[in-house]
């Protein structure tokens, strides 16, 4: 019997790592571009010129946040597409030049869009190396460098992990790769490209592409209170890449197809809004998350944190996403708990929503060394802009009662 408690009056959404609602200000910015300014940005008449100038204004705004040049920003239809373009596009670019297949490196805790792109390449004869993280979810730059081969084309490391929130030392890896590339140049070897999937990081971390030392950076709207199916790929000038989608040659020929003008405007607005409030919102989320964990732990002493420690910092830098919590409740099946909590108007995740449908246990938690029992008893909670102390207190009150009734 489930406890007879009234569900919370409004939905308690704690799965912002899966996707976010659309910020009303973003929606407002997008509104003119369906009924009023609906021209094709390639058109030469006023309707087209207005649409094009909206796209270019969005590109300029995003470029300034990434400290990039405007021509280094390519719009796509989401994070997965950006990742596919980065990985498959650089492999194709290499193949076109060298007429042979090469080697790619990624961390073992990448998003499915990275891992499945690499799997597709492996099936086409490319060599793939995956670097395991330590038990807290951090990839060691040394391990990445050790895996390099003369024919390595690309290294891909997720900026912040979507399940346990671990923030990778991207700038450090970027610097090491730059030094390796200088040596490779002397040996007449082609340079290794560096891609980072920053879809989870965009809300919380500094996206300065040059400080990160990345050649390619994937971002999307659906994780930062922007529209779904919008995204971008930062492509550093000089990076050799082939397109995946052919057509009218839009986006410098790297992503053909009429641009999603409203979506692009929304993506830029979302990134502007989140970048402005980043530091303050991080502090608020850390406060709420740590309060939640401390109080839940005092009621349920046997819960076990997965991933980085909550107070872990490295020379003042965050090591875990401020909104992320992932933990085991021994003896409980995480997936069942998601369904039970839903009855009380609480939405949480078990791991990666992107693998949903497949009830496969999380590969990320396995890569951290967790056994299958521990993986299955894990849940992920990711807070967001509208998360309040009241909501979390309701959760803290209901969870122990719910667990007691399930025993
Ligand atoms: C959500 C996500 C993606 C995929 O983005 P879509 O916009 O859903 O295609 C890729 N990488 C990471 C880390 C993500 O969190």
């Amino acid at each position: 019997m489930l406890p007879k408690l009234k569900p919370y009056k409004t939905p308690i959404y704690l799965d912002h790592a899966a996707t976010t609602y659309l910020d009303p200000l973003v929606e407002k910015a997008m509104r003119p571009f369906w009924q009023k300014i609906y021209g094709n940005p390639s058109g030469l008449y006023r309707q087209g010129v207005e649409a094009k100038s909206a796209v270019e204004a969005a590109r300029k705004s995003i470029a300034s946040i990434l400290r990039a040049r405007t021509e280094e920003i390519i719009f796509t239809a989401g994070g997965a597409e950006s990742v596919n373009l980065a990985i498959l596009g650089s492999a194709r670019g290499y193949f076109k030049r060298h007429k042979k297949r090469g080697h790619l490196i990624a961390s073992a805790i990448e998003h499915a869009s990275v891992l499945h792109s690499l799997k597709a390449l492996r099936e086409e004869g490319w060599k793939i190396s995956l670097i395991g993280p330590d038990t807290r979810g951090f990839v060691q730059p040394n391990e990445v460098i050790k895996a390099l081969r003369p024919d390595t084309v690309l290294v891909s490391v997720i900026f912040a992990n979507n399940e346990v929130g671990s923030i990778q030392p991207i700038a450090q890896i970027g610097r090491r790769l730059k030094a390796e590339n200088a040596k490779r140049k002397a040996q007449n070897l082609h340079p290794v490209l560096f891609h980072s999937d920053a879809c989870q990081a965009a809300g919380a971390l500094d996206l300065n592409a040059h400080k990160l030392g990345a050649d390619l950076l994937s971002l999307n709207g659906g994780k930062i209170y922007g529209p779904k199916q919008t995204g971008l790929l930062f492509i550093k000038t000089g990076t050799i890449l082939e397109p995946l989608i052919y057509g009218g040659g839009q986006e410098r020929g790297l992503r053909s197809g009429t641009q999603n003008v409203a979506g692009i405007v929304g993506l830029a607005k979302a990134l502007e809004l989140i970048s402005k409030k980043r530091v303050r919102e991080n502090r608020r989320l850390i406060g709420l998350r740590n309060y939640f964990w401390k109080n839940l732990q005092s009621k349920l002493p046997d819960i076990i944190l997965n991933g980085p420690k909550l107070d872990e910092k490295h020379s003042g830098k965050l090591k875990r996403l401020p909104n992320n919590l992932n933990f085991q409740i021994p003896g409980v099946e995480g997936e069942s708990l998601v369904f039970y909590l839903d009855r009380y108007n609480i939405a949480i995740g078990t791991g990666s929503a992107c693998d949903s449908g497949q009830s496969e246990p999380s590969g990320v938690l396995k890569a951290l060394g967790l056994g299958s029992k521990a993986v299955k008893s894990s849940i992920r909670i990711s807070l967001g802009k509208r998360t309040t102390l009241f909501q979390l207190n309701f959760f803290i009150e209901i969870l122990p009662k719910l667990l007691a009734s399930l025993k």
Side-chain angles (χ1 to χ4, degrees):
M1 275 286 278
L2 291 178
K4 283 205 174 47
L5 285 161
K6 271 212 317 217
Y8 200 68
K9 51 189 189 288
T10 50
I12 300 180
Y13 182 78
L14 295 170
D15 202 17
H16 293 83
T19 192
T20 45
Y21 63 89
L22 191 72
D23 188 304
L25 291 173
V26 173
E27 191 188 2
K28 192 170 163 222
M30 293 169 72
R31 227 174 277 152
F33 297 94
W34 283 298
Q35 297 296 332
K36 281 197 203 126
I37 310 167
Y38 52 80
N40 189 318
S42 304
L44 300 175
Y45 37 83
R46 192 178 314 162
Q47 273 288 354
V49 172
E50 281 174 4
K52 183 177 171 140
S53 82
V55 168
E56 294 317 312
R59 200 187 310 276
K60 197 171 164 197
S61 158
I62 291 169
S64 90
I65 291 168
L66 269 57
R67 303 280 191 278
R69 301 179 196 178
T70 49
E71 66 269 24
E72 292 177 321
I73 308 296
I74 295 295
F75 291 115
T76 68
E81 189 189 312
S82 296
V83 164
N84 275 256
L85 177 56
I87 293 174
L88 303 175
S90 48
R92 278 186 171 183
Y94 177 88
F95 188 84
K96 198 170 177 179
R97 281 213 159 178
H98 300 277
K99 300 288 178 276
K100 61 179 181 191
R101 294 177 178 81
H103 169 242
L104 295 93
I105 300 170
S107 85
I109 54 166
E110 296 296 304
H111 184 263
S113 54
V114 171
L115 294 175
H116 291 181
S117 293
L118 293 173
K119 186 164 166 267
L121 285 176
R122 181 185 277 142
E123 286 162 5
E124 291 174 15
W126 296 75
K127 298 281 180 278
I128 310 295
S129 301
L130 294 183
I131 310 292
D134 64 18
T135 54
R136 294 240 173 246
F138 296 110
V139 177
Q140 302 305 321
N142 267 339
E143 300 290 315
V144 175
I145 301 302
K146 272 199 317 217
L148 289 172
R149 303 188 344 188
D151 63 343
T152 303
V153 177
L154 177 92
V155 168
S156 189
V157 179
I158 191 166
F159 195 170
N161 181 263
N162 45 309
E163 293 190 38
V164 295
S166 53
I167 296 166
Q168 305 305 334
I170 297 300
Q172 223 177 315
I173 297 170
R175 270 196 303 276
R176 296 284 302 272
L177 285 173
K178 200 171 173 187
E180 289 299 319
N181 278 337
K183 282 188 240 165
R184 291 170 75 99
K185 196 170 179 184
Q187 295 164 5
N188 234 348
L189 287 172
H190 66 94
V192 178
L193 297 177
F194 183 32
H195 168 247
S196 183
D197 173 357
C199 291
Q200 289 288 331
L205 304 170
D206 184 2
L207 296 175
N208 185 324
H210 297 288
K211 256 197 226 163
L212 294 171
D215 301 296
L216 299 154
L217 208 56
S218 293
L219 289 165
N220 64 353
K223 306 276 166 73
I224 55 166
Y225 309 91
K228 295 175 186 41
Q229 289 270 306
T230 65
L232 68 92
L233 182 64
F234 160 80
I235 307 173
K236 192 174 162 185
T237 302
T239 304
I240 294 165
L241 206 68
E242 285 292 309
L244 305 183
I245 297 173
Y246 297 89
Q250 289 91 342
E251 300 298 303
R252 294 198 297 112
L254 284 167
R255 206 291 184 181
S256 282
T258 306
Q259 285 95 341
N260 172 5
V261 180
I264 287 168
V265 168
L267 172 63
K269 185 73 183 177
L271 199 56
E272 285 160 30
L273 289 172
I274 210 150
S275 302
K276 231 177 272 170
K277 301 250 169 83
R278 186 161 57 84
V279 176
R280 210 184 331 150
E281 181 63 0
N282 279 351
R283 212 177 298 137
R284 190 187 77 92
L285 289 170
I286 289 170
L288 279 178
R289 189 224 14 224
N290 294 2
Y291 166 90
F292 177 78
W293 178 247
K294 207 175 109 213
N295 284 277
L296 196 65
Q297 227 182 2
S298 77
K299 289 200 173 190
L300 302 169
D302 58 346
I303 54 178
I304 302 162
L305 186 71
N306 296 327
K309 291 178 195 143
L310 297 189
D311 53 3
E312 198 159 9
K313 278 199 177 185
H314 184 73
S315 51
K317 283 214 175 80
L318 287 173
K319 298 287 270 177
R320 182 173 191 139
L321 287 176
N323 72 333
N324 170 284
L325 200 54
N326 191 316
F327 57 95
Q328 303 161 39
I329 310 177
V332 173
E333 205 191 334
E335 219 169 68
S336 315
L337 194 57
V338 172
F339 289 111
Y340 288 126
L341 284 168
D342 187 40
R343 299 197 195 176
Y344 297 95
N345 227 349
I346 299 173
I348 64 159
T350 45
S352 168
C354 318
D355 281 328
S356 61
Q358 316 154 226
S359 227
E360 267 182 36
S362 157
V364 170
L365 295 180
K366 261 200 278 181
L368 264 59
L370 269 68
S372 72
K373 236 181 173 168
V375 172
K376 280 193 187 133
S377 70
S378 291
I379 57 172
R380 176 184 72 181
I381 286 166
S382 44
L383 317 187
K385 287 205 284 189
R386 287 179 178 164
T387 305
T388 65
L389 198 59
F390 292 108
Q391 294 179 341
L392 295 180
N393 280 332
F394 180 79
F395 195 156
I396 293 164
E397 186 197 324
I398 204 160
L399 187 60
K401 289 179 186 162
L402 184 56
L403 294 176
S405 79
L406 294 177
K407 289 252 157 83

